[in-house]
Amino acid sequence: MKFFIDTANLDQIKEAQDLGILDGVTTNPSLMAKEGITGHDNIMKHYVNICNIVDGDVSAEVISTDFEGMVREGEALADLHEQIVVKLPMIKDGIKACKYFTDKGIKTNLTLVFSAGQALLAAKAGATYVSPFIGRLDDISTDGLNLIAEIRMIYDNYGFETEILAASIRHTMHVIDCAKLGADVMTGPLSSITGLLKHPLTDIGLEKFLADYNKGN
Ligand code: E4P
């Protein structure tokens, strides 16, 4: 299972990268705005900064909603750095643009996916990643994890190679449940990754080991 961090915060990206278990980064316009990164040039520079910190794929989202605009923006994003994955919205022109980039050998991430039917279309268009937003489904009393299970079954039925990128992860149990269901990738905040470290018995056990070691010294 690949671990992506879902942020535009460079310190948090560095912290996750330093752990040695980070496989990539996802961003979106809201995450950029949260870090105060606004304006086309600043946003483009920030993507390069992120790519220079991590080794893996970095999803950069287009803001156009028409095919021509998505192609123009996506090509500019892909030219920025070889690690850039063009993130496209799950709308009709997004699917068309996904097929266009697939044919050109440019990686894509179909975002804002909330149904199995949308995920099927993403796979048909050759998306590298499909991003079902499980937290936002949970927010409206719908079972986000069930969507991961449905997509896994459909992709396995036909051998689709599109990777299921479980997005809108909110906490560690989302990560664990997505791993059980066979999601290929998870993307979440730093806390959903570092939270996996925590267990009180580990802390108690370590304290005892160190205390016992120190008895002889
Ligand atoms: C994924 O690529 C999105 O950036 C993200 O996971 C959205 O998460 P949220 O629902 O917590 O905003």
Side-chain angles (χ1 to χ4, degrees), residues 5-7 25-31 59 61 87 109-112 114 131-137 139 165-170 187-189:
I5 188 168
D6 193 31
T7 184
V25 177
T26 51
T27 61
N28 64 42
S30 305
L31 292 171
S59 286
E61 189 159 343
K87 198 173 182 187
N109 175 357
L110 252 296
T111 192
L112 290 167
F114 293 96
S131 289
F133 277 34
I134 63 172
R136 292 193 194 186
L137 281 169
D139 287 345
L165 197 175
S168 188
I169 292 250
R170 300 282 166 76
T187 192

Side-chain angles (χ1 to χ4, degrees), residues 65-121:
T65 53
D66 63 298
F67 175 74
E68 288 75 18
M70 287 183 198
V71 165
R72 194 173 50 247
E73 263 191 79
E75 285 181 337
L77 287 167
D79 280 348
L80 278 181
H81 201 284
E82 60 188 11
Q83 286 165 242
I84 292 285
V85 174
V86 179
K87 198 173 182 187
L88 301 158
M90 173 47 77
I91 56 176
K92 196 194 269 184
D93 282 30
I95 288 293
K96 279 174 66 179
C98 180
K99 181 69 172 67
Y100 171 88
F101 287 118
T102 301
D103 290 346
K104 287 193 79 177
I106 292 172
K107 286 187 181 180
T108 52
N109 175 357
L110 252 296
T111 192
L112 290 167
V113 167
F114 293 96
S115 77
Q118 291 177 326
L120 185 52
L121 282 174

Side-chain angles (χ1 to χ4, degrees), residues 115-182:
S115 77
Q118 291 177 326
L120 185 52
L121 282 174
K124 290 285 293 172
T128 313
Y129 298 107
V130 66
S131 289
F133 277 34
I134 63 172
R136 292 193 194 186
L137 281 169
D138 288 355
D139 287 345
I140 57 157
S141 310
T142 306
D143 187 355
L145 289 169
N146 185 52
L147 177 59
I148 301 293
E150 282 186 316
I151 300 172
R152 182 73 283 155
M153 182 195 288
I154 291 169
Y155 282 11
D156 288 351
N157 281 347
Y158 296 98
F160 284 125
E161 286 177 9
T162 298
E163 293 187 46
I164 302 173
L165 197 175
S168 188
I169 292 250
R170 300 282 166 76
H171 48 70
T172 54
M173 282 313 294
H174 271 158
V175 180
I176 294 162
D177 287 333
C178 284
K180 285 184 188 168
L181 292 169

Side-chain angles (χ1 to χ4, degrees), residues 3 15 19 21 170-173 175-176 186 189-200 202-203:
F3 274 24
E15 189 176 333
L19 266 177
I21 49 83
R170 300 282 166 76
H171 48 70
T172 54
M173 282 313 294
V175 180
I176 294 162
M186 72 69 115
L190 183 62
S191 60
S192 68
I193 298 173
T194 54
L196 295 169
L197 279 166
K198 292 180 193 158
H199 199 290
T202 303
D203 298 338

